[in-house]
Amino acid sequence: MSTLRTLSKFQSKLQGGGARPNLFEVQIPDLPAAAKDSTPAATWGSDEQENFSIMCKAAQLPASTIASIDVPFRGRTLKVAGDRTIENWNITVINDEDFAIRNAMEAWMNAIAKLSNNTGAVNPSSYMTDAYVYQLGRGYSSGRFSESNSTSSDGESVTPLKSYKFLDIFPVSVSAIDLSYDSGDTIEEFTVEFAVQSFESLADDATGVNLK
C-alpha cells in the first residue's frame, strides 16, 4: 500500500541537503616507474600532485556492469549472471601555461608505446598506478563532519562522504586541445581516458583528504 509523503518528510530524509556533483577531488599520488623514466621525463612531485587535484574539473564515481546471459528453455529465456566488466574512467583537466599535467600524461602514454618506434614498457606494473576520487560534502554530515569544518581552512583534512580507489589504471587517450582565433574568453582543457582493472569502495573511516 502506497503512503502519501509530505515535503517535510522528504526534507528530513535528504541528508546533508543532498550530495553535490561539484564537490569532489581526484588524486593520483604517483606516476608509474615507466612514466617517470620516460623521455621527456614526467615530473610528478608534490606540486604537480596538488595542482592536479585542483585542476581536475570533472570525473566520475565508478561504474561497472554485470552482463546477462540468456539461456533458452522451451520457448522461454532464463537470464543468469555473466561476467562483470569495469568501464573506462574519464577526467577533464584545466590546462595552465606550464602544461605540467598534460606533459605528464603524454609522457605516461609515450612510456607505454613510443611515438618514434612503438616500443614501450611490457611489465604491467611498470606503467600502471592507482588513483582516488573523493565525494566531498558541503561541510556538515552527521558522523563525518563537524560544524566547524563547514568553513574549513585551506589544507584542512576532512573525511569524504564517499571514497573510491581505482586500481591499476593507465591512460588510453589524451584528447586534442582545439586552437582557434575565434576562441576568446575561455581557458583550455583536455580529457584523459583511463583503462581500469578494478576499483574499491573505501571505508568511511578511510584517511581524510586534504582540501588544498
Side-chain angles (χ1 to χ4, degrees):
M1 181 177 178
S2 180
T3 302
L4 184 63
R5 304 295 186 182
T6 64
L7 185 61
S8 59
K9 184 71 172 181
F10 173 70
Q11 177 182 331
S12 69
K13 297 298 184 182
L14 190 60
Q15 298 295 318
R20 309 298 174 90
N22 60 348
L23 295 177
F24 72 95
E25 184 164 309
V26 176
Q27 293 182 359
I28 299 180
D30 201 6
L31 293 189
K36 292 188 289 188
D37 293 341
S38 65
T39 304
T43 302
W44 202 254
S46 59
D47 288 342
E48 287 76 22
Q49 294 172 33
E50 180 179 352
N51 289 346
F52 172 79
S53 67
I54 295 172
M55 295 300 177
C56 182
K57 62 162 284 188
Q60 303 95 33
L61 301 182
S64 62
T65 303
I66 296 179
S68 173
I69 300 175
D70 294 340
V71 183
F73 176 74
R74 297 181 179 179
R76 299 296 301 276
T77 300
L78 172 67
K79 296 182 181 295
V80 297
D83 295 331
R84 188 174 185 181
T85 58
I86 309 297
E87 297 182 11
N88 284 357
W89 181 51
N90 296 275
I91 63 171
T92 303
V93 180
I94 297 171
N95 193 36
D96 58 11
E97 288 193 351
D98 68 2
F99 276 74
I101 299 173
R102 186 175 179 87
N103 288 342
M105 295 298 117
E106 290 178 344
W108 190 353
M109 292 195 71
N110 199 53
I112 298 171
K114 291 182 173 58
L115 288 170
S116 59
N117 55 24
N118 203 33
T119 62
V122 294
N123 184 354
S125 63
S126 69
Y127 62 80
M128 297 180 183
T129 192
D130 298 333
Y132 299 81
V133 60
Y134 303 97
Q135 171 71 64
L136 306 177
R138 296 185 64 201
Y140 175 77
S141 180
S142 178
R144 292 183 173 91
F145 295 93
S146 66
E147 289 284 4
S148 61
N149 281 342
S150 63
T151 55
S152 59
S153 60
D154 184 55
E156 183 172 352
S157 180
V158 299
T159 303
L161 303 177
K162 186 69 175 176
S163 304
Y164 289 94
K165 180 180 181 180
F166 291 87
L167 302 171
D168 296 332
I169 70 169
F170 61 93
V172 296
S173 173
V174 175
S175 73
I177 297 177
D178 293 328
L179 307 175
S180 172
Y181 285 161
D182 298 328
S183 296
D185 298 322
T186 188
I187 296 176
E188 293 177 357
E189 58 185 47
F190 61 94
T191 61
V192 184
E193 182 181 359
F194 293 96
V196 180
Q197 300 298 335
S198 188
F199 64 84
E200 297 176 353
S201 178
L202 303 181
D204 290 342
D205 58 355
T207 303
V209 56
N210 288 319
L211 299 181
K212 301 298 185 181

